Amino acid sequence: MHNPARMRFRTLAVTLAVTSFCAVVYAETSGELDTPEEFDTSHTQGPGDVKEGYESRDYETRSRSLLKRRGVKKDLIRFAQNPPLGLPPVPIPAENPLTRAKIDLGRKLFFDRRLSINDTFACATCHIPEQGFTNNEMRTAVGVEGRSVLRNSPTLYNVAYLTRLFLDGREISLENQIWQPMTSHNEMAAPSIGWIINKIRRMRDYDGLFEKAFDGEEPNILTVGQALASYQRTLLAANSPFDRWYFGNQTNAVDESVKRGFGVFSGKGQCIVCHTMQKEHALFTDEKFHNTGLGYMISFSKGSKDAPKTTRVQLAPGVFVDVSNEKIEAVSQQKLPNDLGLYRVTENPNDRWRFRTQSLRNVELTAPYMHNGKFDTLREVIDFYDQGGIPNELLSPFISPLNLSEQEKQDLEAFLLSLTGSTVPEIVADAFAAPIGDLSLEDPNWAHEETLGY
Amino acid sequence: MRKTTFCTGLAMAAAMAWTVPALADETCMSPYIAKIQGIEDYVYVWTLGVEGMGDEQDKLVTIDTNPESKTYGQVVSVLSVGGRNEAHHSGLSDDRHYLWAGGLDSSKIFVFDIHSNPRQPQLHKVITDFVEKTGGMVGPHTFYALPGRMMITALSNNVDHGGRTGVAEYNNDGEFVASHWMPTDEDLRGAVKTGQHADGYGYDLRVKAESNVMLTSSFTGWSNYMMDFGQMLQDSTAMQRFGNTMVVWDMHARKPLKVLDVPGAPLEIRCAWGEDNRYCFTTTALTSQVWLLYEDEAGEWHGKAVADVGVPSEIPLPVDISITADDTGLWINTFMDGKTRFFDISDPHAPKQVFEEVIGSQVNMVSQSWDGDRVYFSSSLLNNWDKTGDADEQYVKLYHWDGEKLAHQWTVDFYAEQLGRSHQMRFGAYALYGKRPDADAKVAMAE
């Protein structure tokens, strides 16, 4: 069972840690669950609606009960104070020092569906904890009223390190970033920043929480962002088998296939050129923008005479039909612009279809892959790069055919699967313990006694 | 003179089963609610607001359906409710005084008073805390009256917006009573998984009271039913998330008994009315089949596919269905080709299509009068699933049915009138409340 004394001891150990005691601290923050028996960890990795094998008529459900999806609140600040093995120190803005009160408040905001215009959408609606803080159940995201979003929901694991947010890099800090999804018409669709602040101030379950976390300050344009950023900075998933082998010198932490796969990754595969590593740690991203050709292909495939005339559609386990694209077009209401990546931010024609390199950490949990969720499996991603991406005049010079053997591809996939952080179950368990903010009769609404005050 | 009679409650309904040759509800509603056995005065249309059209919000639209009225076939009342909630289905309370209408997106439930002035419904109550009260159910869909109760199926949940969900139970005052979660592999809740599936999904709900059985079907979660239809068809990940089950429940105990495999998203359920006809029908939206759910001599319930609807490989997409009063016919609408089809179900194990007609470029709901003479059609499936451009016709149409052909009577064009997308239809009548038409209606009828 949960042991508060033990928790306090661990927290104290973390707090007192200094660089010279790094090994000791690592032992305390290596991502092992404090008390694994406290909850069923089978709920923490992957959708509860398991669809593996759905392609076959032999598919059998292994659905999990929503009522058994229960968590335990954890002390996530220790991850940020002493990151799990393989991660560098977490950059904390001087104007927003990390505290437990802010993390707790940020977590509450993160799961609050009331922050959207119609009380239906929270940050966690697209960034689902057990689905790698992304959404494994659709290729590109869907926002309020079902409005289509151009891109696949990115994972929030290790987002603390990013200096360019969104895949086109248009934001520079987590504190800033949070306002865009909350106010975007096709995401949470809040009418304005002021509307959100006003609503939080009128929701009684927030009474005193901001004041406690921010030294008397109310919810405002700074504190809302700072709280949400604080929670997200604690979502640090590392101390993976690879980390324990490569950075922790545990020879048996991974098998030989992973070790060979790392050789492919850093050698023949050239993956490491963009998915970079440092001597003491690795984020597996250079945070730069590259054109793989995928965006180019999508932009020009629409209406092309060479484009396929039909789409394979699954109707039930093992049941597929080919549907004419004409028929699909007849029920496609939402016309989205082409996704030109970094160009949308710079309008530099050389930036067309360039997207920020995504980290490879925890890719086991974050399917489907690429900026538009094009690929269901890591093997498809490997095959894409093995063929050299999609040729176009702006293709990254780092991408070219690799001629990987079947064994090399399998090894590379094994390496990628070894990057899943051992801290994940604890982070997800903590997320499960968060209350989901659903509209209650106490909340402001035009149909209630308490209104938004307009 | 119009001929309208009604009966109320289980006891009366059960008693009349032996005395009325063709006891049936006008549009396949609960056997526990009052019925219109004559001509309906109004059809209430739960309508989706459309961005850029009129006031852009959902509304209850009332159409005059009394052929003696001056405003016959016209919109006589529009009641806007605020927001685009993904207006979908509605259901009448057991006393038929109130119409409950749900929003699949906002999970709000709008309770309309339709008895004080049937010509001009009023918004009686808005239930805003469905998700919180039920413990996380999202997307209230079917509203099905049991004595003193409203059973409400949900389609999704607040955790992952997927298809795992449950059935909520409310009382007639609009107060939450209980949540009944669908059985999953991890928690079958006492049910038997008879095949390969126990997905925990939900959609429709009907009862076969003589057998103490409640049936539920399964569709998909918020992520799919709110997604652009074309986008979803091209998303192989999303297409794996449709229901493949029906659940047989103990109606009185509200306990799931059996989970049946019914692959391909079984949607609407319609149960036979004859006391000895211990079966119900559904159609699978994706695999385009008619399924029979039936009780064997030992009292066990089973499901089997008994007919195709159109050419399944072309995905005609069966949507709403409606069973006739005498259990011999079943209307089946298919959204993609805009057709209605009539199946002879005299032998429920071998339905045969005997009629088809194109109603529009798209068609969804079908509601027939209790005598089957009048058949109403509406057009909208889901806000983001309807067709585009000129094919996005939005209407309510009335046809007369003589057993062999449909005869068009009138059309209300919901776009021309700037109303929105027309979805579910429910009937109203003055005689249900011992009333006669009010002053406005009298004026309307005088000429």
Side-chain angles (χ1 to χ4, degrees):
Chain A
M1 295 298 290
H2 184 65
N3 185 332
R6 188 178 173 196
M7 176 70 81
R8 282 195 295 274
F9 172 78
R10 285 171 181 264
T11 304
L12 180 63
V14 169
T15 306
L16 295 176
V18 292
T19 306
S20 60
F21 291 103
C22 206
V24 175
V25 174
Y26 159 64
E28 292 297 323
T29 61
S30 62
E32 297 304 319
L33 293 172
D34 284 353
T35 46
E37 69 280 9
E38 286 174 334
F39 61 92
D40 180 0
T41 57
S42 68
H43 283 252
T44 62
Q45 295 191 38
D49 183 17
V50 181
K51 295 298 185 187
E52 285 176 36
Y54 198 82
E55 298 78 12
S56 166
R57 285 184 189 274
D58 296 331
Y59 166 79
E60 291 194 33
T61 55
R62 282 161 284 155
S63 56
R64 298 182 186 124
S65 164
L66 289 164
L67 297 183
K68 295 182 185 295
R69 183 188 184 271
R70 289 190 290 264
V72 181
K73 190 173 185 303
K74 298 290 182 179
D75 187 30
L76 298 185
I77 196 171
R78 58 202 174 88
F79 291 154
Q81 291 170 333
N82 285 280
L85 182 67
L87 291 177
V90 176
I92 307 290
E95 65 276 15
N96 187 24
L98 202 58
T99 67
R100 288 187 177 82
K102 289 183 196 173
I103 295 167
D104 287 350
L105 181 54
R107 189 182 69 155
K108 179 177 173 64
L109 291 164
F110 188 85
F111 289 91
D112 200 329
R113 288 155 42 93
R114 298 169 299 179
L115 302 184
S116 61
I117 178 65
N118 59 0
D119 304 293
T120 63
F121 242 78
C123 307
T125 309
C126 288
H127 302 282
I128 304 166
E130 68 270 37
Q131 297 183 27
F133 279 90
T134 172
N135 187 330
N136 300 147
E137 302 186 334
M138 60 175 72
R139 296 195 186 286
T140 51
V142 173
V144 156
E145 292 191 25
R147 295 173 189 141
S148 298
V149 179
L150 270 176
R151 296 182 186 145
N152 177 257
S153 302
T155 180
L156 299 184
Y157 282 130
N158 307 324
V159 73
Y161 299 100
L162 295 180
T163 57
R164 290 164 169 164
L165 293 148
F166 299 111
L167 291 177
D168 53 25
R170 64 185 184 272
E171 264 301 352
I172 57 172
S173 77
L174 283 172
E175 281 81 357
N176 289 355
Q177 182 274 339
I178 63 105
W179 294 110
Q180 185 148 13
M182 287 206 282
T183 56
S184 289
H185 183 64
N186 63 348
E187 296 189 57
M188 294 166 71
S192 69
I193 292 172
W195 181 93
I196 296 167
I197 292 167
N198 174 51
K199 192 167 187 181
I200 293 172
R201 286 177 178 174
R202 289 170 180 271
M203 293 196 288
R204 296 284 69 87
D205 53 315
Y206 280 95
D207 281 354
L209 299 183
F210 276 85
E211 291 78 358
K212 175 187 170 191
F214 292 99
D215 196 22
E217 282 197 67
E218 288 188 324
N220 59 44
I221 196 168
L222 291 177
T223 54
V224 173
Q226 288 175 339
L228 273 163
S230 295
Y231 172 61
Q232 292 179 80
R233 286 200 174 94
T234 67
L235 306 178
L236 300 169
N239 187 41
S240 67
F242 172 81
D243 293 315
R244 292 196 289 274
W245 169 62
Y246 188 81
F247 295 115
N249 298 317
Q250 295 180 28
T251 307
N252 298 324
V254 297
D255 63 20
E256 291 305 313
S257 179
V258 171
K259 295 173 186 174
R260 290 194 303 269
F262 177 63
V264 176
F265 166 82
S266 55
K268 184 177 177 182
Q270 305 174 49
C271 319
I272 199 171
V273 174
C274 299
H275 299 283
T276 50
M277 298 178 67
Q278 307 301 319
K279 187 176 181 183
E280 303 292 334
H281 48 76
L283 294 178
F284 294 103
T285 172
D286 59 0
E287 277 210 80
K288 293 178 179 170
F289 299 85
H290 303 279
N291 176 334
T292 67
L294 189 61
Y296 164 84
M297 181 191 73
I298 300 296
S299 293
F300 284 103
S301 64
K302 295 176 184 172
S304 163
K305 63 179 173 54
D306 299 325
K309 298 290 185 287
T310 61
T311 298
R312 194 95 168 134
V313 174
Q314 183 164 17
L315 305 180
V319 181
F320 295 83
V321 294
D322 291 317
V323 180
S324 77
N325 289 341
E326 191 177 340
K327 185 176 280 189
I328 291 174
E329 184 65 18
V331 290
S332 298
Q333 289 188 34
Q334 301 191 34
K335 311 300 182 191
L336 292 173
N338 290 336
D339 191 350
L340 304 183
L342 180 63
Y343 170 83
R344 289 162 61 90
V345 179
T346 65
E347 295 202 334
N348 178 347
N350 293 325
D351 290 338
R352 286 173 290 168
W353 307 296
R354 293 176 67 192
F355 296 91
R356 174 172 48 74
T357 306
Q358 300 196 59
S359 173
L360 297 180
R361 288 195 174 276
N362 309 294
V363 285
E364 180 184 17
L365 309 175
T366 60
Y369 303 106
M370 314 301 277
H371 71 276
N372 60 354
K374 171 73 175 174
F375 301 128
D376 288 331
T377 64
L378 289 171
R379 179 55 188 259
E380 289 175 80
V381 178
I382 292 169
D383 286 341
F384 174 78
Y385 284 111
D386 183 53
Q387 73 176 28
I390 304 291
N392 70 94
E393 63 176 326
L394 299 172
L395 181 67
S396 167
F398 303 127
I399 296 176
S400 59
L402 302 172
N403 299 312
L404 298 180
S405 68
E406 175 60 27
Q407 184 63 52
E408 287 168 333
K409 290 179 181 180
Q410 290 180 17
D411 291 340
L412 187 54
E413 183 171 357
F415 161 70
L416 294 171
L417 294 173
S418 77
L419 295 174
T420 305
S422 65
T423 48
V424 164
E426 191 164 352
I427 292 170
V428 177
D430 176 78
F432 284 179
I436 296 176
D438 282 307
L439 190 67
S440 77
L441 294 181
E442 313 303 317
D443 295 321
N445 187 277
W446 68 265
H448 297 170
E449 287 185 14
E450 175 73 21
T451 69
L452 285 169
Y454 293 103
Chain B
M1 283 293 292
R2 292 173 302 124
K3 179 186 174 187
T4 305
T5 58
F6 66 97
C7 56
T8 309
L10 173 62
M12 189 173 291
M16 292 187 71
W18 285 274
T19 57
V20 179
L23 177 67
D25 193 3
E26 67 270 27
T27 50
C28 318
M29 291 185 289
S30 168
Y32 294 97
I33 72 172
K35 299 171 181 62
I36 304 169
Q37 293 180 326
I39 296 176
E40 54 282 353
D41 289 307
Y42 301 107
V43 59
Y44 303 116
V45 188
W46 188 215
T47 302
L48 295 84
V50 175
E51 284 187 282
M53 178 173 292
D55 66 10
E56 299 193 330
Q57 58 197 275
D58 297 343
K59 47 186 62 71
L60 187 68
V61 174
T62 304
I63 299 173
D64 188 336
T65 58
N66 186 331
E68 297 180 12
S69 169
K70 180 183 177 183
T71 51
Y72 173 60
Q74 297 177 24
V75 174
V76 295
S77 169
V78 175
L79 177 53
S80 295
V81 300
R84 285 180 297 279
N85 306 274
E86 194 63 43
H88 203 75
H89 281 197
S90 61
L92 296 152
S93 56
D94 58 0
D95 61 5
R96 208 159 175 154
H97 284 198
Y98 298 97
L99 178 68
W100 297 44
L104 292 184
D105 182 17
S106 69
S107 296
K108 283 182 179 173
I109 297 168
F110 302 90
V111 182
F112 299 100
D113 173 354
I114 56 170
H115 73 284
S116 297
N117 182 353
R119 187 179 178 85
Q120 194 161 32
Q122 298 297 312
L123 186 56
H124 172 68
K125 179 173 185 152
V126 185
I127 298 172
T128 57
D129 57 354
F130 178 81
V131 182
E132 187 230 357
K133 279 286 190 290
T134 57
M137 293 182 196
V138 162
H141 180 266
T142 294
F143 297 85
Y144 193 80
L146 295 180
R149 291 285 188 271
M150 185 63 85
M151 306 299 288
I152 306 171
T153 59
L155 298 191
S156 192
N157 65 74
N158 66 351
V159 166
D160 61 12
H161 267 181
R164 290 173 295 163
T165 191
V167 177
E169 184 169 352
Y170 275 67
N171 66 22
N172 281 357
D173 293 327
E175 296 164 340
F176 171 75
V177 175
S179 289
H180 310 289
W181 291 91
M182 304 298 293
T184 56
D185 289 285
E186 188 178 27
D187 184 6
L188 284 166
R189 303 191 55 235
V192 175
K193 181 182 179 182
T194 63
Q196 296 169 218
H197 304 284
D199 49 33
Y201 285 33
Y203 184 77
D204 201 11
L205 180 152
R206 289 292 184 278
V207 303
K208 189 62 186 164
E210 300 91 333
S211 300
N212 186 33
V213 155
M214 183 168 78
L215 289 171
T216 53
S217 54
S218 58
F219 181 36
T220 193
W222 188 101
S223 293
N224 275 0
Y225 67 70
M226 292 302 295
M227 188 187 292
D228 179 89
F229 196 11
Q231 177 184 337
M232 187 188 70
L233 289 170
Q234 299 173 83
D235 187 331
S236 58
T237 301
M239 288 305 297
Q240 294 186 338
R241 289 177 168 80
F242 280 88
N244 296 298
T245 56
M246 292 188 68
V247 178
V248 182
W249 300 68
D250 180 318
M251 181 183 74
H252 288 299
R254 320 280 204 252
K255 295 293 183 190
L257 302 173
K258 298 173 76 170
V259 185
L260 305 175
D261 284 0
V262 184
L267 299 186
E268 307 292 330
I269 307 169
R270 298 293 179 265
C271 294
W273 286 98
E275 183 196 11
D276 296 328
N277 293 345
R278 303 291 177 96
Y279 53 82
C280 305
F281 290 96
T282 190
T283 52
T284 52
L286 296 180
T287 46
S288 302
Q289 293 178 313
V290 182
W291 277 69
L292 178 71
L293 295 308
Y294 64 99
E295 185 183 47
D296 66 18
E297 292 180 353
E300 286 295 316
W301 280 73
H302 309 274
K304 66 176 182 180
V306 290
D308 286 343
V309 182
V311 180
S313 63
E314 295 177 359
I315 319 183
L317 203 67
V319 277
D320 198 18
I321 62 177
S322 179
I323 194 168
T324 60
D326 57 4
D327 299 339
T328 62
L330 188 71
W331 291 103
I332 299 176
N333 284 356
T334 44
F335 178 79
M336 292 300 284
D337 57 14
K339 285 182 180 175
T340 192
R341 293 172 164 85
F342 192 74
F343 279 72
D344 178 348
I345 55 169
S346 302
D347 177 357
H349 293 268
K352 293 181 178 58
Q353 183 182 317
V354 296
F355 174 85
E356 71 175 43
E357 182 164 324
V358 173
I359 301 300
S361 58
Q362 57 188 2
V363 66
N364 183 21
M365 303 304 288
V366 51
S367 296
Q368 62 180 308
S369 56
W370 84 277
D371 57 12
D373 292 346
R374 295 171 304 287
V375 189
Y376 296 82
F377 296 95
S378 66
S379 48
S380 179
L381 178 54
L382 287 158
N383 189 48
N384 291 316
W385 285 34
D386 285 348
K387 293 185 178 178
T388 60
D390 292 341
D392 185 22
E393 296 176 348
Q394 296 295 342
Y395 58 79
V396 167
K397 297 183 179 182
L398 170 65
Y399 288 77
H400 285 176
W401 171 245
D402 64 4
E404 294 186 351
K405 63 181 183 304
L406 288 171
H408 177 256
Q409 302 300 303
W410 49 254
T411 298
V412 174
D413 184 334
F414 271 55
Y415 274 180
E417 302 212 19
Q418 300 285 296
L419 294 169
R421 303 176 188 271
S422 46
H423 200 94
Q424 199 178 44
M425 302 165 288
R426 293 297 188 212
F427 299 150
Y430 289 104
L432 289 164
Y433 319 113
K435 292 183 177 182
R436 301 180 65 80
D438 62 14
D440 290 342
K442 281 179 183 174
V443 170
M445 295 170 63
E447 299 178 9

